[in-house]
Amino acid sequence: MPQLCKLVSLRRLLRLFKYTAIVMGVFFSSHLFAQSFYVVNPVGVISRLTLKNSTYTQQIITNPCLSEFRTVYSIAIYKNYFYYFDFNGLIRATIVGNELTNCENLGKGYVGGEALTVDQNGILYVANGYNLYKIDLAAKSQIKIGTMPYSGGDLLFYKDELYMASYGGIVKVNLADPSQSRIVIPEARNASGLVSAAYSGSKNKVYALVGVTAVEIDLDNYKVVSQPIEIDVDVVDGASAVEDGEFLKIQIDSIRQYPDCPYTGKGTIEVICENKLPDYTFELNGVTNNTGIFTGLSPGTFQIKVRSSAEEKDTVITVPRFMRLKPPINITTSDDLCVAPGQITLTTDAANDTSYSIKYNNAIYSVNHSYTNLKAGNHQFIVLNKAGCEIDTINVLLHKCAIQLDGADVQQECNLIFKGSVQIKTKATAVYTYKLGDTTNQTGIFNGLDKGNYKVTITSADDTTQMDVIIPDYAALSPVISYNATKANCETTGSVKFNLTGDATGYTIKLDGQVYPFLHEFKLYGGTYSFTVIKPDGCLLNLYTVTITSEACDDLFLPNTFTPNGDGINDIFKLEAGDTPDNFKFRIYNRYGVLVFSSVNSHVGWDGKSKGKPVPVGVYYWTATYVDNGRRSLEKSGYVTLIR
């Protein structure tokens, strides 16, 4: 689908934004109701955000239609259908719970875009760059409406008018002639997202995503009506049931009934509208409220009406008798306290069942809850209905488990001299606490131990036991190592050679990172050296520090000043008396790098002249190469100051 290729980079430029849920939560903080809409993030993950007061919850929507190498770019919702574009074309699906189902690929023939919405007749509108298209799925056709002066960020309908987010602000799109589209809210410039949300039965609110903020906008008076609110989740595109400009319809999802507490034969009826809006009112047999909860009712037939500012829906329910019904509770336990702390999970068939609650240790929990870090013994749970009546008691027993040991694994440390390690083994994977001396851990592994007898204490949630461990004398069990060392002098190197009691096969010695056979004779100059003796298995046996003494070698010395003024004192720049280096080469340069003197005789010095003429006073650079009496080839250099 080549038309989608160019929208990827554009979307990434436009969509550096975050979930509108926080913004919605702030704006609706004065209303005690929840509402949901859908968003897609930059990597194509679709989520349902449910807002209530100033908080939100996020549920990831499983999308089996999406392959590993495709991603969602724009989304729209029309009645029961969920539409989105990906690289495979236009996809239509329905949502059941938290999963897209009945996925249908409508084909690659439709031009995709970075903005997608739908009108009240089910016609899709797509913005691809500056071009605006509409898709009539019934006719299986796509028509280019025209070219707009602004590129698209997101689309939605409001009161039968199409609006678009763009860099320049919120654009009112002229469907008759898109080239005449105009910016109506420039204050919302750089907006790349538009989300509508039901506010009442006759009003929707609209929010623009600008940068990393969200603001409420008034499309009736073309102005921004709130301060920017920071948002913290990236949103590529948004969709809701009211993006076509219609208002949210009343839907009675369920009617719950439960007896009053204490039980008198009367009860409560609760009308559940999942998308309840602030202007909803509920009426039961002439009694009206805003909660949908009616108490103190005798069994009978009840006429229920739900009204908003735009519509009314009614139904009838007959309750023969208010029953103290017990919910079916599924119990899952983990009572092997040697493996982990005890856990009890109580669940019902309904994932979000609020008709019942559980009292445990005088605290109230939802009916679907896991109780963790439990001790062995009996645990009592009391099931409460909506009115707080106790309708069932559940007792669950968690059993104790004794610690079962399976010995200890004692080893000599590979990289520590004559140290040992121990690992306590159990007959099952367990969560235990182990203590040896002052060291406590949950691995049962202790390292760097000296020879001796140790007592290890093992503790679980309900049991404690001890184990004796012996670390052998690894020094006494190891071969004896000795070495011979000879001195070095100026003409010869010293030597070091190691000896081992027994067979030395496989033993090696490491010096300065290089490994040698154990019987290697090391030829070394004077100094201190560290040798590592390594066993045949590659582990450390011992470390030895050996000092090779040596006789001092004669060194070459030159003064740093001389005065060639003919007074017989320090007139010649040369080696000190007694220096007799071999292969002597001596050169002197002026500050321009010009050679002014050279000699191969260590007894011949410089008289401060070059080509028979005195040189100026100043600093001169010299170099000397030679072989000393230790047969070392050396090179020295320095500076001399000539003073007259």
Side-chain angles (χ1 to χ4, degrees):
M1 191 168 180
Q3 293 88 344
L4 281 177
C5 296
K6 64 181 180 181
L7 68 89
V8 178
S9 59
L10 176 60
R11 293 184 69 85
R12 290 184 178 178
L13 289 173
L14 291 174
R15 305 295 194 177
L16 300 175
F17 306 104
K18 306 193 173 179
Y19 281 132
T20 56
I22 293 178
V23 179
M24 297 296 190
V26 172
F27 292 140
F28 291 139
S29 59
S30 62
H31 304 296
L32 301 178
F33 69 95
Q35 58 182 184
S36 297
F37 60 90
Y38 295 85
V39 295
V40 59
N41 71 12
V43 294
V45 177
I46 301 171
S47 303
R48 180 172 59 239
L49 301 184
T50 300
L51 305 158
K52 188 172 184 179
N53 300 333
S54 60
T55 63
Y56 73 89
T57 58
Q58 177 186 4
Q59 291 175 305
I60 302 299
I61 304 301
T62 303
N63 187 3
C65 314
L66 197 63
S67 71
E68 181 180 359
F69 302 105
R70 300 207 308 271
T71 188
V72 176
Y73 293 112
S74 50
I75 60 177
I77 296 175
Y78 179 68
K79 298 188 183 303
N80 295 324
Y81 287 120
F82 193 101
Y83 295 94
Y84 67 83
F85 274 109
D86 66 14
F87 276 122
N88 204 39
L90 178 60
I91 309 298
R92 179 170 62 190
T94 55
I95 293 182
V96 177
N98 294 325
E99 182 178 7
L100 290 183
T101 62
N102 303 320
C103 301
E104 180 183 2
N105 190 334
L106 301 179
K108 294 184 177 181
Y110 299 107
V111 175
E114 58 269 26
L116 178 66
T117 193
V118 63
D119 67 11
Q120 296 179 11
N121 299 313
I123 303 298
L124 295 173
Y125 289 79
V126 182
N128 184 312
Y130 293 90
N131 297 318
L132 182 66
Y133 300 84
K134 70 176 180 178
I135 300 174
D136 186 340
L137 294 176
K140 297 182 179 180
S141 66
Q142 182 171 19
I143 299 173
K144 180 179 178 180
I145 302 174
T147 301
M148 301 175 291
Y150 312 98
S151 60
D154 200 359
L155 294 168
L156 64 76
F157 277 92
Y158 182 83
K159 294 186 177 179
D160 295 325
E161 299 283 357
L162 182 61
Y163 292 87
M164 181 178 71
S166 75
Y167 279 126
I170 305 303
V171 176
K172 182 177 182 180
V173 179
N174 188 324
L175 288 173
D177 184 0
S179 66
Q180 299 302 311
S181 300
R182 61 189 179 92
I183 294 177
V184 293
I185 308 181
E187 294 83 1
R189 63 177 54 87
N190 297 322
S192 67
L194 284 177
V195 176
S196 58
Y199 184 74
S200 70
S202 58
K203 182 178 180 181
N204 297 330
K205 283 193 173 184
V206 180
Y207 299 90
L209 301 178
V210 183
V212 292
T213 63
V215 294
E216 180 185 343
I217 59 175
D218 181 353
L219 289 180
D220 292 316
N221 299 294
Y222 297 149
K223 63 181 180 179
V224 174
V225 295
S226 75
Q227 292 296 318
I229 303 296
E230 268 192 43
I231 51 180
D232 63 355
V233 184
D234 284 345
V235 174
V236 168
D237 203 9
S240 73
V242 296
E243 68 177 295
D244 60 359
E246 286 197 354
F247 302 116
L248 193 65
K249 302 297 183 183
I250 294 175
Q251 179 175 330
I252 300 175
D253 295 287
S254 62
I255 299 176
R256 298 170 183 165
Q257 60 91 12
Y258 40 88
D260 290 343
C261 181
Y263 182 69
T264 61
K266 295 185 177 183
T268 295
I269 286 179
E270 181 179 5
V271 183
I272 305 299
C273 296
E274 298 293 346
N275 292 320
K276 175 186 172 185
L277 296 176
D279 64 341
Y280 281 17
T281 59
F282 301 84
E283 180 182 323
L284 185 144
N285 289 359
V287 177
T288 302
N289 62 38
N290 293 317
T291 65
I293 300 174
F294 302 90
T295 61
L297 304 176
S298 299
T301 298
F302 303 93
Q303 183 179 22
I304 297 170
K305 294 182 179 181
V306 183
R307 298 185 182 90
S308 72
S309 56
E311 62 173 327
E312 176 181 306
K313 182 166 288 189
D314 57 14
T315 187
V316 174
I317 181 174
T318 299
V319 181
R321 187 162 65 97
F322 286 96
M323 303 292 293
R324 288 186 290 185
L325 301 176
K326 298 179 181 180
I329 300 290
N330 306 309
I331 303 174
T332 304
T333 64
S334 174
D335 58 10
D336 187 354
L337 296 182
C338 291
V339 175
Q343 177 172 312
I344 299 173
T345 301
L346 304 180
T347 60
T348 61
D349 295 335
N352 298 307
D353 192 349
T354 59
S355 300
Y356 305 95
S357 58
I358 303 292
K359 183 164 71 172
Y360 174 72
N361 285 346
N362 294 320
I364 305 299
Y365 301 89
S366 64
V367 72
N368 295 300
H369 182 75
S370 291
Y371 305 84
T372 58
N373 297 316
L374 303 179
K375 297 289 187 181
N378 182 66
H379 297 266
Q380 186 177 84
F381 302 89
I382 299 174
V383 183
L384 308 176
N385 66 10
K386 190 79 172 182
C389 295
E390 298 182 6
I391 58 175
D392 199 6
T393 299
I394 300 173
N395 292 291
V396 181
L397 178 64
L398 295 182
H399 302 283
K400 293 184 178 182
C401 176
I403 298 173
Q404 300 181 56
L405 301 177
D406 197 19
D409 184 11
V410 178
Q411 299 286 340
Q412 183 178 0
E413 292 276 20
C414 187
N415 295 313
L416 296 175
I417 299 174
F418 305 140
K419 301 286 187 179
S421 68
V422 60
Q423 180 175 5
I424 308 301
K425 298 187 293 183
T426 62
K427 291 186 177 180
T429 302
V431 177
Y432 299 137
T433 299
Y434 303 83
K435 183 176 182 181
L436 186 153
D438 295 329
T439 302
T440 301
N441 62 43
Q442 291 187 323
T443 65
I445 300 174
F446 300 91
N447 299 310
L449 302 176
D450 294 320
K451 66 178 181 179
N453 299 331
Y454 297 88
K455 189 176 293 292
V456 181
T457 302
I458 304 99
T459 304
S460 71
D462 291 282
D463 196 14
T464 298
T465 189
Q466 291 185 322
M467 171 179 281
D468 293 320
V469 176
I470 299 175
I471 302 298
D473 185 351
Y474 290 112
L477 298 176
S478 300
V480 177
I481 304 293
S482 62
Y483 63 86
N484 296 316
T486 63
K487 295 190 298 183
N489 56 42
C490 287
E491 296 187 5
T492 62
T493 59
S495 67
V496 177
K497 189 171 183 180
F498 286 83
N499 302 297
L500 180 147
T501 58
D503 186 5
T505 302
Y507 287 83
T508 56
I509 299 176
K510 182 187 290 186
L511 175 65
D512 294 335
Q514 186 172 350
V515 178
Y516 301 87
F518 184 82
L519 298 178
H520 178 77
E521 183 176 3
F522 296 90
K523 301 292 186 178
L524 303 168
Y525 291 105
T528 300
Y529 300 88
S530 295
F531 298 89
T532 303
V533 179
I534 301 172
K535 298 187 294 184
D537 61 0
C539 291
L540 174 67
L541 176 60
N542 211 339
L543 300 176
Y544 298 90
T545 300
V546 180
T547 299
I548 303 295
T549 59
S550 64
E551 298 176 352
C553 296
D554 293 336
D555 195 12
L556 179 148
F557 176 77
L558 285 162
N560 57 12
T561 62
F562 80 111
T563 57
N565 53 13
D567 62 359
I569 301 173
N570 198 21
D571 286 333
I572 304 298
F573 177 57
K574 66 177 182 177
L575 296 178
E576 292 291 323
D579 287 343
T580 56
D582 294 334
N583 296 334
F584 181 74
K585 294 180 181 180
F586 187 48
R587 293 179 176 84
I588 299 175
Y589 303 87
N590 64 16
R591 62 178 180 171
Y592 303 107
V594 177
L595 181 69
V596 297
F597 176 78
S598 66
S599 175
V600 294
N601 188 335
S602 62
H603 299 292
V604 176
W606 183 37
D607 60 0
K609 295 180 180 180
S610 176
K611 296 180 180 181
K613 296 181 179 181
V615 300
V617 297
V619 177
Y620 292 82
Y621 176 72
W622 62 265
T623 64
T625 60
Y626 61 97
V627 177
D628 71 359
N629 57 2
R631 309 313 302 162
R632 297 179 300 174
S633 294
L634 300 174
E635 180 177 347
K636 287 194 173 185
S637 62
Y639 294 91
V640 62
T641 301
L642 188 153
I643 304 172
R644 297 189 189 279

